[in-house]
Amino acid sequence: MPFIPHTEDDIRDMLQQIGAGSIEDLFEEIPADLRAPPLSGIPEGLPEMEVTRLMQERAARDGAPLNFIGAGAYEHHIPAAVWQIATRGEFYSAYTPYQAEASQGTLQLIYEYQTMITRLTGMEVSNASLYDGASALAEAVLMAVRINRRSKSNRILVPGALHPAYRATVRSIVSNQDIELVELPWDERLGSIDANSLEAYDGQDITALVVAQPNFFGVLEDVDALTRWAEARGVPVIAVVNPVSLALLKPPSEWGERGADIAVGEGQPLGAPLSGGGPYFGFMTTRREHIRQMPGRIVGRAEDADGRPGFVLTLQAREQHIRRSKATSNICTNQGLVVTAATIHMALLGDAGLKRVAEACWHNTHQLATRLSRAGIQPRFAGDHFHEMAFDFGPDAQARLARMSRAGVLAGHPLAAEYPDLANCVLACATETKTAGDLDRYVEALA
C-alpha cells in the first residue's frame, strides 16, 4: 500500500483546521461501552527495516512449493505491467463508477473489457462483471428462469461434474426460490456427460441446461450434442467456461446450431494472482435478445449534445436503481479493480498471446500425464482434457500427497471429499508456468 507520511505537525494542523483538540475528540460521539478495548498482546512498534526482516523470516517458513493445484483457481504468469497499471490512482477503485462525468477513464476501460469478453465468448452482450464465477452461474440460472417463461417447473439440469463450489453456491442462492437443481451423472469412463442420457428427460418440463466446458475434472464435454438436445426442446443453455480455454476451444456462441443463451465463468485466470479467498470476478455474456434480463450493469458508448463520444452506465437493472420487485438481481456487484487487471492482461497478451498460453497449458498437462503413465499412474478418465486431469494415485493417495508436500510439491486437489467414488484420485493442473524440469520434479517427488 502507498505510504502517507503524516507528521505530528501535519496532524496538529489538520485538527486545528476542523476545531478538534485531539484525535480522540473525533470519536466522542461513540458511547464508551461501544468502543473497542485497548488491544492486548500487540508487541511494541518496530522500524520498517526490522518489520520487513521479520515478515521475510515468517514467509520463508511457508517455503516456495511447486504448485500443481487448480480446481477453479489457477496459477498463470501475470506480466508485471498488469498490476503496476491497475493500481495507479486513476484506476484504484473496486467498484463501478456512478458519476460518469468524473469517471470517463474507468468507464471506458470497463467498456473495453465488455468488448474483449464478448469477443472471447463469441456472445453479443457482456455486463460489467459479477462477484465471482459461482455467483455468476447462480445469476445465470435465475436469468434463464426469466427467459424461459413457458416452463413452469423451474427445473435446471446441472452436471454432477460441475465445480462443487459452483453447485453449492447456486443451491444456496436459488433453493428458496422454488428452483429445482437436477444433477446429471457423468460417464464413468469418459468423465463427461453422455448426451444420449438426456433422452430420459424427453417430454419433461425442463427450464434450462447447464454445460461446463471444461468440467471440474478438466474433461471436455460434447457441447454440440448437449446444446442440440436443448435447442430441439426449446431449453436455454447456460455455458460455464474457462476464459483461457476459449483461446483454443469453440466459443459458446457456436455450440450446436444457435449457440448457448448465456455464458458465464470465473475471470481469475485473466490477471488475478492466487490468494486466499480472492478477490476474483465473474463474467457474464448473453445474446442481445436477452439483454433486459441480464443482472448488473452495462457500460455503453454514447455521444453528448456536441457529438463528442463518452461512456455511461447504459443499463442498470439492480434494485438500487429501479423498484426492487423489478430488479433482475438484488445481490450482484461489479469487481472493478480485478476487471481492470483482466482488461490490461488481455490487452497485453492479445489474441496470439492468449492462444500461446492455452496451448502451453494443454501441452504441459498432457506431458505430465505421459510422465505419470511411465510411473504407473494413469488418468482416471479417458476423455479429452484441457489443462487439468484426475489421476488415480491408488489407495494411499492421501499419504502420497502428504509426502509430496513435504518434498515441496503440491501435487493436486484430492477428490475424496467431494466425490467419494473418486477417493483415490487427485486433480492435477499444469499451466504455462510449469517447465519440463517442474514436471520431472513432480514425478521424482511421487517416487
Side-chain angles (χ1 to χ4, degrees):
M1 293 293 290
F3 176 61
I4 303 175
H6 286 157
T7 66
E8 292 297 326
D9 290 341
D10 294 334
I11 295 173
R12 186 166 49 251
D13 290 344
M14 287 188 286
L15 290 172
Q16 184 177 356
Q17 287 292 327
I18 61 176
S22 67
I23 291 179
E24 187 66 21
D25 291 345
L26 302 178
F27 304 96
E28 63 181 359
E29 294 181 359
I30 302 176
D33 59 329
L34 294 181
R35 298 192 187 189
L39 297 175
S40 59
I42 303 298
E44 292 296 321
L46 295 174
E48 180 183 346
M49 183 173 65
E50 293 184 36
V51 171
T52 301
R53 171 71 66 85
L54 176 64
M55 299 312 294
Q56 288 173 341
E57 291 173 353
R58 293 185 175 178
R61 297 178 191 173
D62 292 333
L66 196 58
N67 177 35
F68 286 86
I69 302 175
Y74 302 102
E75 182 179 27
H76 289 287
H77 171 68
I78 303 171
V82 171
W83 284 95
Q84 184 67 30
I85 298 172
T87 52
R88 285 179 60 93
E90 300 94 319
F91 291 128
Y92 210 4
S93 171
Y95 214 57
T96 312
Y98 291 108
Q99 293 176 283
E101 66 278 7
S103 310
Q104 282 297 290
T106 302
L107 286 169
Q108 180 176 354
L109 182 138
I110 295 175
Y111 178 82
E112 300 292 351
Y113 155 78
Q114 293 170 175
T115 303
M116 293 178 185
I117 290 294
T118 53
R119 288 179 178 174
L120 197 58
T121 59
M123 306 296 282
E124 295 174 316
V125 183
S126 167
N127 67 9
S129 83
L130 296 166
Y131 276 125
D132 54 24
S135 61
L137 176 57
E139 293 285 0
V141 167
L142 295 171
M143 181 176 167
V145 170
R146 295 192 296 270
I147 289 172
N148 192 3
R149 298 187 183 279
R150 292 178 300 174
S151 174
K152 304 303 179 185
S153 69
N154 288 352
R155 298 183 74 201
I156 312 294
L157 300 183
V158 179
L162 177 69
H163 197 302
Y166 282 46
R167 287 184 283 126
T169 300
V170 174
R171 188 173 294 106
S172 295
I173 293 175
V174 310
S175 60
N176 290 326
Q177 302 190 49
D178 296 324
I179 295 175
E180 179 186 0
L181 303 179
V182 180
E183 288 201 1
L184 299 173
W186 66 86
D187 183 276
E188 283 293 324
R189 185 181 71 86
L190 297 177
S192 56
I193 299 172
D194 180 359
N196 294 324
S197 67
L198 293 180
E199 294 177 0
Y201 300 95
D202 285 350
Q204 298 185 28
D205 183 4
I206 301 300
T207 304
L209 169 67
V210 176
V211 179
Q213 183 72 332
N215 64 25
F216 183 60
F217 307 132
V219 177
L220 302 184
E221 299 280 358
D222 187 351
V223 294
D224 288 329
L226 296 172
T227 303
R228 289 192 185 104
W229 177 89
E231 289 172 339
R233 293 154 184 82
V235 175
V237 173
I238 302 170
V240 183
V241 292
N242 179 315
V244 173
S245 73
L246 294 178
L248 288 181
L249 303 178
K250 180 186 297 186
S253 63
E254 298 178 10
W255 294 1
E257 302 301 326
R258 296 183 61 240
D261 293 85
I262 309 167
V264 299
E266 172 56 62
Q268 178 271 328
L270 302 174
L274 291 176
S275 55
Y280 298 147
F281 76 91
F283 61 85
M284 172 182 277
T285 58
T286 188
R287 297 178 186 170
R288 185 178 296 275
E289 65 192 88
H290 303 320
I291 190 172
R292 288 289 174 182
Q293 301 303 331
M294 175 178 275
R297 309 159 186 80
I298 295 177
V299 174
R301 186 177 185 274
E303 291 184 352
D304 64 12
D306 298 322
R308 294 174 299 186
F311 298 89
V312 296
L313 288 175
T314 303
L315 184 66
Q316 304 175 73
R318 194 182 180 197
E319 83 286 349
Q320 67 193 76
H321 304 295
I322 60 178
R323 292 198 305 275
R324 190 173 185 86
S325 61
K326 297 291 185 180
T328 56
S329 174
N330 300 126
I331 63 170
C332 65
T333 194
N334 159 246
Q335 295 283 24
L337 182 60
V338 196
V339 162
T340 298
T343 308
I344 298 167
H345 186 83
M346 287 187 285
L348 287 171
L349 266 62
D351 294 351
L354 196 62
K355 184 177 181 181
R356 285 197 299 272
V357 169
E359 288 173 339
C361 292
W362 184 94
H363 175 80
N364 286 344
T365 299
H366 285 75
Q367 283 295 306
L368 177 62
T370 299
R371 284 167 165 77
L372 289 177
S373 293
R374 295 173 189 151
I377 302 294
Q378 301 298 328
R380 172 61 178 79
F381 300 114
D384 292 329
H385 294 73
F386 173 54
H387 72 349
E388 219 156 4
M389 287 190 190
F391 294 98
D392 191 338
F393 269 39
D396 60 342
Q398 292 293 340
R400 283 183 159 182
L401 283 176
R403 286 200 304 271
M404 294 179 75
S405 178
R406 290 193 293 271
V409 176
L410 304 180
H413 175 75
L415 295 175
E418 297 101 344
Y419 300 95
D421 293 343
L422 302 175
N424 297 339
C425 294
V426 173
L427 188 64
C429 173
T431 66
E432 84 284 4
T433 61
K434 301 299 176 285
T435 65
D438 295 335
L439 303 182
D440 291 337
R441 184 178 164 193
Y442 187 106
V443 178
E444 291 166 4
L446 178 63

